[in-house]
Amino acid sequence: MPELPEVETVLRTLEQQIKGREITGITILYPKMIEDDPDEFTAFLMHQHFNTFQRRGKYLIFGLDHGYLVSHLRMEGKYYLMKPEEPLTRHMHVVFDLDDGRQLRYNDTRKFGRMKIYPEGYDFTHFHDLGPEPFDDAFNADYMHAYKKGRKCPVKELMLEQSFVAGVGNIYADEILAASHVRPGRSCARLTRKEEEAIVRNTREILAEAIRCGGTTIRTYTSSLGVTGRFQLYCSVHMQKTCRVCGSEIKVKWIGGRSSYYCPHCQK
DNA sequence: ACACTGACCTGCGAGC
DNA sequence: TGCTCGCAGGTCAGTG
């Protein structure tokens, strides 16, 4: 399931592979994936080039000659570069023909991913009410303290709010809280200043480390070239049975509609 | 404004 | 073996 580090990895891989390529054809096999009228989507993109590659939260933003193509992979979205003669499989929903004869194919088992076009000059700063990027200076302990003011929800829910910090999903939220020695069910109103500082610091460090590893592979995620992420080797609580530090049994708790893994001994 | 729930999807594994 | 059911999870719309 792609979170910020996986999206970043996909982006960098695609930049190496398709930068400068022209879209010479588009086949939409599952129209609900496109948030625009499919004909307008196709007409807009035809003969434009993939020029720039940006990320905002978990959104991929492809800069074209005149406008943008934005893609969200949601849970299982993947891009593959293939030859036209290779067979289409049942989960390939959008195919872009490129001017070098290859095809960029969007594959999504659960059809949750979405694509949308945006006009030239569109400002993505406040896109979808996204909060600061974790590596931005604006994401700091003062900001966190001000953001959570008046809130009482479990800190895990806060970590998953894209308007708080952009790009953190279920896996990394668990890892960040484990590294910060804070239980996911703790009310965000009861965090100490030191804990807020630790959460901010660990958000940066863990995401940066995951990007260095090329993302996480849990269940079905692989990046666009089928590169397998290595971060699962370093997961300390998510999907684990015992704590790497103290050997305690990892607990699973249902918080905010998602399973949350934590060590009852190391996390307070 | 915040909190909570269901919808969107398909594959997989558990239980019967 | 074959069926049903619950779970996986990012985002958004709808309701309280």
Side-chain angles (χ1 to χ4, degrees):
Chain A
M1 50 214 79
E3 299 182 29
L4 186 152
E6 292 73 33
V7 175
E8 185 72 25
T9 302
V10 169
L11 192 74
R12 291 180 183 182
T13 310
L14 285 176
E15 180 167 24
Q16 285 185 348
Q17 291 291 320
I18 65 168
K19 189 175 172 69
R21 297 272 64 81
E22 180 188 336
I23 298 169
T24 56
I26 298 168
T27 310
I28 300 169
L29 298 152
Y30 182 71
K32 284 180 77 174
M33 192 136 276
I34 312 296
E35 294 188 323
D36 309 284
D37 176 82
D39 292 336
E40 284 178 29
F41 180 85
T42 302
F44 180 86
L45 293 174
M46 279 295 279
H47 302 299
Q48 296 219 53
H49 297 76
F50 287 103
N51 295 324
T52 61
F53 298 76
Q54 299 169 260
R55 178 189 58 70
R56 184 75 179 89
K58 299 171 198 167
Y59 292 86
L60 294 158
I61 304 173
F62 302 106
L64 310 166
D65 302 327
H66 308 288
Y68 302 91
L69 168 63
V70 174
S71 168
H72 197 301
L73 307 172
R74 296 285 181 98
M75 255 70 78
E76 312 210 4
K78 298 172 190 69
Y79 282 100
Y80 293 117
L81 279 158
M82 302 181 91
K83 294 172 185 165
E85 57 268 29
E86 291 180 85
L88 279 172
T89 61
R90 59 176 297 202
H91 298 305
M92 290 174 178
H93 306 305
V94 184
V95 177
F96 300 91
D97 298 314
L98 303 177
D99 63 346
D100 61 1
R102 293 180 301 170
Q103 287 181 334
L104 179 66
R105 297 181 181 180
Y106 180 71
N107 186 97
D108 193 338
T109 313
R110 289 165 72 180
K111 299 181 176 172
F112 271 20
R114 293 292 180 263
M115 289 181 201
K116 188 167 163 61
I117 52 175
Y118 288 87
E120 195 164 15
Y122 189 88
D123 180 8
F124 289 99
T125 313
H126 302 291
F127 189 58
H128 284 254
D129 198 28
L130 291 174
E133 290 291 323
F135 304 119
D136 194 306
D137 290 341
F139 180 64
N140 56 50
D142 286 339
Y143 163 79
M144 180 173 183
H145 196 77
Y147 183 94
K148 76 181 181 67
K149 197 172 170 63
R151 303 284 303 273
K152 292 180 292 192
C153 67
V155 61
K156 170 71 179 279
E157 285 185 33
L158 197 73
M159 297 306 295
L160 293 175
E161 278 180 30
Q162 300 301 296
S163 53
F164 168 54
V165 59
V168 175
N170 203 35
I171 299 169
Y172 293 104
D174 281 356
E175 292 303 310
I176 290 160
L177 292 174
S180 307
H181 308 296
V182 172
R183 291 196 192 189
R186 270 269 290 288
S187 166
C188 63
R190 302 180 69 89
L191 294 172
T192 67
R193 178 69 186 194
K194 282 204 179 312
E195 287 169 338
E196 290 167 8
E197 287 169 359
I199 287 168
V200 166
R201 185 178 66 247
N202 286 314
T203 300
R204 291 216 182 89
E205 289 181 3
I206 287 173
L207 294 177
E209 175 64 14
I211 290 170
R212 275 196 292 277
C213 294
T216 301
T217 297
I218 284 185
R219 299 179 189 280
T220 55
Y221 175 78
T222 49
S223 77
S224 58
L225 294 180
V227 176
T228 301
R230 288 165 286 140
F231 191 74
Q232 80 279 9
L233 300 174
Y234 307 100
C235 277
S236 59
V237 287
H238 195 85
M239 303 283 280
Q240 304 297 309
K241 289 265 183 276
T242 55
C243 176
R244 300 173 166 270
V245 175
C246 73
S248 299
E249 187 186 351
I250 295 295
K251 299 278 186 200
V252 188
K253 193 176 175 190
W254 195 251
I255 297 170
R258 293 181 188 89
S259 57
S260 300
Y261 294 75
Y262 68 98
C263 171
H265 180 257
C266 297
Q267 291 170 255
K268 305 297 178 194

